[in-house]
Amino acid sequence: MTDETTPRVVAVNRGTEDAEGQGSGRGPQHDALEAWVGRWINEGHMIDDDGSPGVKIATSDVYEWAPGGFFLVHSAYGRIGEFDVGGTEIIGYDETSGAYRSHFFDSQGNVTVSRLVAEGDTWTYQGDTTRATVEFSDDHRVQTVLHERTDDGATYRPSMKVTLVKVG
């Protein structure tokens, strides 16, 4: 058996190199991200400490495939109460760890890294101090999301509840 290598792009930031085989391809774990793709209107509210609805949230969210079709780029613009907010998120499947990952860069200068777990139409984000449960419904045209936060790493409390409706 011969060791057949040919020049190809293994990673864009490395250029071309001699490598075996065809390289990695898209699989069902990438196809599962298709549920997110589209333009969404996001409305909801913060959740006050007593559990009652707080200030309103309204954003416009766009999820689209990055070049190559392995990662999603999510852009969000809107308001939480009187404050302009937004951010850019990159979501993808990490072949090495066998898990989905999210990197969210917000308009306040924060970076939040989360692990995502998909179980049917439910996706759960888990970060260091936040988590969110996303329930897809209506043939993936509606997302209902409960955001939670923790200050001690153990006790979570609801922080936001939003509904995203696909408009395109």
Side-chain angles (χ1 to χ4, degrees):
M1 177 178 226
T2 61
D3 184 12
E4 303 249 351
T5 61
T6 57
R8 66 178 175 89
V9 176
V10 176
V12 172
N13 62 347
R14 292 175 56 101
T16 61
E17 56 189 290
D18 288 339
E20 292 183 32
Q22 297 291 333
S24 63
R26 283 179 47 95
Q29 65 276 22
H30 300 103
D31 296 338
L33 293 168
E34 183 67 32
W36 300 85
V37 174
R39 298 181 183 282
W40 304 79
I41 296 298
N42 176 352
E43 294 181 325
H45 58 270
M46 297 294 299
I47 299 174
D48 290 339
D49 289 339
D50 65 2
S52 64
V55 298
K56 290 186 178 193
I57 298 169
T59 68
S60 172
D61 294 66
V62 176
Y63 292 83
E64 57 192 344
W65 288 109
F70 287 90
F71 301 95
L72 291 181
V73 177
H74 166 210
S75 300
Y77 304 93
R79 295 179 66 77
I80 296 178
E82 298 180 19
F83 300 100
D84 291 329
V85 296
T88 301
E89 177 183 29
I90 307 294
I91 303 171
Y93 183 76
D94 179 17
E95 296 282 343
T96 304
S97 68
Y100 291 96
R101 299 268 184 238
S102 161
H103 292 77
F104 183 67
F105 306 88
D106 77 20
S107 58
Q108 307 307 305
N110 301 297
V111 178
T112 302
V113 178
S114 299
R115 183 173 185 267
L116 279 82
V117 175
E119 292 182 13
D121 288 336
T122 301
W123 290 69
T124 305
Y125 284 75
Q126 181 66 59
D128 289 337
T129 62
T130 59
R131 69 182 177 197
T133 304
V134 180
E135 299 276 347
F136 281 95
S137 61
D138 194 20
D139 199 27
H140 295 117
R141 290 189 299 265
V142 175
Q143 298 179 42
T144 304
V145 188
L146 176 64
H147 292 267
E148 298 173 286
R149 67 179 181 215
T150 181
D151 294 323
D152 62 9
T155 305
Y156 283 84
R157 63 184 179 93
S159 58
M160 295 183 277
K161 181 143 189 182
V162 296
T163 300
L164 291 83
V165 177
K166 189 179 277 190
V167 294

